[in-house]
Amino acid sequence: MRITSIIVLFSLYSTIINAAPTAVPTLEKRQETEQDPGFNTNIFDSFKPLEVTASPITREYTLKLAKAELAPDGFSRIVLISNGRYPGPMIRANKGDQIVIHVKNNLNDFTTIHWHGIFQKGTTFYDGVAGLTQCLIPTGTTFTYNFTGGEQYGTYWWHSNFGSQYVDGLAGPLMHVIVYTIHDPKDPYLNDYDEEFVMTLSDWHHVYSEKLVKIRMTPGYKGFNPVPNSGLISGRGRCDCSKAPQGSKCVPDNPLAVYVVEKGKRYRFRIINIGAEAPFTFSIDQHPLRIIEVEGENVKPVTLNKINIAVGQRYSVIVNADKEVNNFWIRATIVKQCIHVSPETINVNSSLNYMVTGTLRYNGAPDAYPTTQEWEEKVLNCRDVDHNLLKLNPPRPPPANPTDNFTFRITFDDFDSVGHALVNGFPFKPELEDPTVNKMMYDTTPSMLKQNQNAFVYDTQNGVVEISIINENMATHPFHFHGHNFFIMGQGPGKTPDPTQFNLVDPAVRDTVTVAGYSWTVIRYFIDNPGIWAFYSHIEWLIEMGMVGQLIERPSELKNNPIPPKVKGICPLDNDDDDGDNNNNTAKKRSLKVYKKYYKRSDIPNISRHVRYKFMRGSAY
């Protein structure tokens, strides 16, 4: 959630919300178009940092959401796209810039967009989390997000935060968000590389994610999460077409990702895992990876041959193109040990090739597959890069003396034979028509929220939160937090944190941490960003099953930062909520009945409806 350079996938639109946060420099307005070098539309094109401006400026983009038939791995299916692409175009900004993004929804479905890693200081209502920070964006409309990265810099990405849409393609880089880059003119490593690339890693499914979620939550289902059909590097991969269903369209030799470099140059690769579940082990044959940034935090350089990247995580690495002109394998291996299967698991007979590849091609090398050998270095499965290696640059001490302590106990259980993922005994239920941020602006107090809202509340000025994540199951979970970066104080086996194992001097800092099976992880962060912040395992299937908590930070201050009218305006109105303006309501009203009626359409499955919990389709993420 921090940023040095930001790349964001967007396009342009004409309207703009008149609710930009105050005290943000907007001295110059600039629109980014496909002809503008600041708007990188091809993920395989290299780029250089944006030109430094005398003061922060406003950068506008439009993100046009639609559906199209594409074949990322050779198999043709309907994909959710942005600006005609998957992954979408990159969005970039300089540190401190105001970012205005017009989201034009032509999906024939509701949606929201989350800016993964952006703190949204003062703009929690633009965090894009359905049921927590905003209502859904109706199809056929345009909604504008208007925020600043402030002092953030680094690599981020954007993705849908409604249902499982991003699994079907609705995601992209934001050098600052899915490929969203926030450039820092004072980047300490600016002279260590000549050009930059963005690279995304993802698992990929041939069946629409909505159907997979429905099967996953069918009463009596006994399997694990769906097995992918393939893996993708920057939206390109290859599946086994011989196993494709009869009558489907599939190209056997689908193009793989190719990154072209110049011998003698140094390249910063911003690598993002945008998948549904799979962690990857990443490497480039014969080219060591010099890590300089982790999720918006500059770190002291550490060179490794292979790095593990869990869902939601981002690394910037410098690759020196100092070998003879040739082709070299880029390897993004799905860690098989982290993908649990049983005979009942969805797509258990998948012909998934866990060894996903692309090519690093020196300019002048032949158009041919590499013949290089993989690094022999071994890495621990289902684990992050050793946190002891990730030291902040410059260093800063972790928070001491926590004032607010919480425990997230992670379990699974069935309700009426439907499997759910629980936080402290409850699966999260998003209230899509009445998000938490709306409630906090009215007369609702945090204590009035239902238990299935999984709300954790703290209101200590200048305090410190400590969260103990207790994983009581065998699966690993990449836990991601909105609104903050956190210090990883310690990790270990069992159900009881051991304070003697805490790093009180120089712990790693990031926004997504892998929690191993049957283990504990303790994190801390400063209470300095009032808002509604989601905290959850970034495995999409588990999000849909309820593994989500929300941190309500400084509710006493939230009312001092009212929700912009156009943000509230997309919410449905109760029949008795006329705000004293019947004419206005008649003109714009989307009653709660109309809102809910949408979910009764025959073409939209009701995914999580059973006796005890009647979820509306789609989770907060």
Side-chain angles (χ1 to χ4, degrees):
M1 299 180 166
R2 329 64 322 5
I3 311 167
T4 288
S5 0
I6 289 184
I7 295 175
V8 185
L9 303 173
F10 311 141
S11 185
L12 301 168
Y13 194 69
S14 55
T15 57
I16 179 170
I17 285 186
N18 298 317
T22 59
V24 175
T26 55
L27 302 182
E28 175 188 345
K29 181 175 288 189
R30 170 180 173 181
Q31 289 191 330
E32 310 293 335
T33 68
E34 294 190 15
Q35 290 72 42
D36 190 318
F39 188 54
N40 192 337
T41 59
N42 187 342
I43 198 168
F44 299 108
D45 285 346
S46 63
F47 54 90
K48 294 185 178 181
L50 294 171
E51 180 182 348
V52 177
T53 57
S55 58
I57 64 174
T58 297
R59 298 180 189 268
E60 283 191 67
Y61 299 88
T62 295
L63 191 57
K64 300 175 184 177
L65 312 183
K67 296 180 180 179
E69 184 176 331
L70 299 178
D73 63 354
F75 181 89
S76 293
R77 54 154 292 184
I78 298 299
V79 177
L80 305 186
I81 61 172
S82 54
N83 299 9
R85 296 172 175 83
Y86 169 72
M90 288 179 280
I91 292 177
R92 299 200 288 159
N94 281 332
K95 188 167 73 170
D97 284 349
Q98 189 75 22
I99 302 167
V100 178
I101 302 165
H102 309 288
V103 176
K104 191 172 185 177
N105 181 9
N106 291 324
L107 294 172
N108 194 31
D109 194 357
F110 287 107
T111 195
T112 67
I113 300 294
H114 167 59
W115 317 101
H116 186 115
I118 305 301
F119 294 156
Q120 297 292 354
K121 287 201 171 185
T123 52
T124 188
F125 38 75
Y126 287 137
D127 197 37
V129 184
L132 270 70
T133 65
Q134 72 168 86
C135 293
L136 301 175
I137 304 171
T139 188
T141 67
T142 297
F143 180 82
T144 301
Y145 292 89
N146 189 343
F147 56 86
T148 175
E151 291 300 307
Q152 288 186 271
Y153 55 82
T155 308
Y156 306 80
W157 58 295
W158 61 261
H159 58 80
S160 168
N161 245 107
F162 174 56
S164 53
Q165 287 177 340
Y166 92 79
V167 177
D168 297 308
L170 204 53
L174 187 175
M175 268 170 176
H176 185 143
V177 178
I178 178 182
V179 187
Y180 184 139
T181 299
I182 298 180
H183 296 283
D184 182 2
K186 297 181 180 179
D187 179 359
Y189 302 115
L190 199 58
N191 294 324
D192 290 8
Y193 55 91
D194 303 297
E195 296 181 25
E196 303 185 47
F197 284 109
V198 165
M199 182 183 294
T200 63
L201 312 178
S202 58
D203 44 15
W204 189 249
H205 297 264
H206 291 170
V207 176
Y208 207 62
S209 66
E210 197 171 78
K211 182 177 180 179
L212 295 176
V213 172
K214 185 177 182 180
I215 297 171
R216 182 69 174 86
M217 299 191 71
T218 297
Y221 176 76
K222 298 301 182 183
F224 291 96
N225 299 328
V227 178
N229 290 96
S230 63
L232 307 178
I233 295 176
S234 298
R236 292 187 183 180
R238 188 172 292 172
C239 68
D240 184 352
C241 287
S242 68
K243 303 296 177 61
Q246 188 174 4
S248 59
K249 292 188 290 185
C250 191
V251 178
D253 297 321
N254 194 59
L256 300 179
V258 177
Y259 283 86
V260 179
V261 298
E262 292 283 346
K263 179 177 172 60
K265 286 189 175 182
R266 304 156 302 168
Y267 293 86
R268 176 177 184 158
F269 278 83
R270 298 174 184 267
I271 308 167
I272 310 168
N273 185 338
I274 66 172
E277 176 177 18
F280 289 83
T281 298
F282 180 83
S283 64
I284 303 176
D285 290 357
Q286 299 183 31
H287 291 75
L289 309 172
R290 185 177 182 231
I291 301 173
I292 60 170
E293 178 231 339
V294 178
E295 289 149 38
E297 297 282 358
N298 287 332
V299 297
K300 295 178 180 179
V302 55
T303 299
L304 301 173
N305 295 327
K306 294 182 177 181
I307 58 176
N308 285 342
I309 307 179
V311 176
Q313 293 184 336
R314 293 94 63 205
Y315 288 88
S316 280
V317 301
I318 294 177
V319 175
N320 192 353
D322 58 355
K323 303 298 183 290
E324 293 301 316
V325 172
N326 202 347
N327 294 295
F328 300 84
W329 283 120
I330 299 171
R331 303 177 188 270
T333 302
I334 295 176
V335 187
K336 187 174 184 178
Q337 292 84 347
C338 309
I339 306 295
H340 299 288
V341 297
S342 68
E344 299 84 8
T345 297
I346 302 165
N347 203 26
V348 67
N349 294 320
S350 169
S351 56
L352 169 65
N353 183 351
Y354 288 83
M355 294 183 289
V356 186
T357 56
T359 299
L360 183 75
R361 174 168 296 153
Y362 280 58
N363 191 18
D367 183 3
Y369 292 125
T371 58
T372 52
Q373 299 300 308
E374 183 177 3
W375 290 103
E376 293 184 357
E377 178 179 297
K378 302 296 182 183
V379 295
L380 289 175
N381 293 323
C382 313
R383 298 290 189 275
D384 289 336
V385 170
D386 186 351
H387 293 139
N388 291 318
L389 300 177
L390 304 178
K391 303 302 183 185
L392 292 177
N393 182 23
R396 63 180 188 270
N401 304 318
T403 58
D404 297 83
N405 293 270
F406 303 105
T407 297
F408 274 57
R409 198 167 298 277
I410 306 305
T411 58
F412 290 87
D413 204 351
D414 288 352
F415 295 118
D416 300 316
S417 298
V418 175
H420 282 80
L422 315 180
V423 176
N424 293 354
F426 287 90
F428 175 71
K429 175 185 176 182
E431 296 189 356
L432 301 177
E433 76 282 358
D434 189 21
T436 306
V437 69
N438 288 21
K439 294 184 178 76
M440 294 299 101
M441 294 296 174
Y442 305 124
D443 295 328
T444 303
T445 61
S447 62
M448 297 168 64
L449 295 175
K450 301 173 185 176
Q451 283 185 302
N452 61 18
Q453 290 295 283
N454 289 352
F456 298 80
V457 187
Y458 48 95
D459 209 343
T460 309
Q461 188 172 8
N462 300 321
V464 171
V465 171
E466 179 174 287
I467 298 177
S468 299
I469 308 164
I470 312 298
N471 183 7
E472 297 188 5
N473 60 89
M474 65 179 178
T476 55
H477 298 287
F479 264 86
H480 173 59
F481 191 27
H482 292 199
H484 292 271
N485 278 348
F486 49 74
F487 292 78
I488 303 171
M489 305 305 298
Q491 295 184 299
K495 299 180 181 180
T496 305
D498 181 1
T500 66
Q501 300 300 309
F502 287 7
N503 182 345
L504 302 175
V505 179
D506 56 0
V509 179
R510 59 191 315 167
D511 64 30
T512 307
V513 61
T514 297
V515 180
Y518 301 116
S519 76
W520 57 268
T521 294
V522 174
I523 66 171
R524 287 181 188 173
Y525 60 93
F526 293 101
I527 301 176
D528 58 6
N529 191 13
I532 311 297
W533 309 121
F535 189 40
Y536 55 98
S537 169
H538 217 298
I539 295 175
E540 181 57 35
W541 319 113
L542 303 186
I543 292 169
E544 295 297 315
M545 294 168 65
M547 193 175 287
V548 178
Q550 55 177 323
L551 282 297
I552 301 178
E553 183 168 342
R554 299 302 313 277
S556 63
E557 290 191 18
L558 284 178
K559 290 185 179 181
N560 298 327
N561 191 18
I563 303 171
K566 290 189 178 181
V567 177
K568 290 175 59 179
I570 63 173
C571 293
L573 300 174
D574 290 308
N575 291 332
D576 59 352
D577 183 7
D578 59 13
D579 293 330
D581 185 355
N582 291 326
N583 291 332
N584 185 51
N585 276 338
T586 300
K588 71 173 186 176
K589 190 168 184 176
R590 250 180 329 277
S591 72
L592 196 56
K593 289 182 179 179
V594 173
Y595 198 77
K596 290 183 175 180
K597 184 178 179 181
Y598 176 86
Y599 295 94
K600 297 180 181 180
R601 286 169 34 192
S602 60
D603 61 330
I604 295 191
N606 196 351
I607 280 174
S608 183
R609 191 172 295 281
H610 49 91
V611 177
R612 182 170 180 180
Y613 293 99
K614 293 187 177 181
F615 290 12
M616 292 176 73
R617 174 182 150 281
S619 76
Y621 300 85

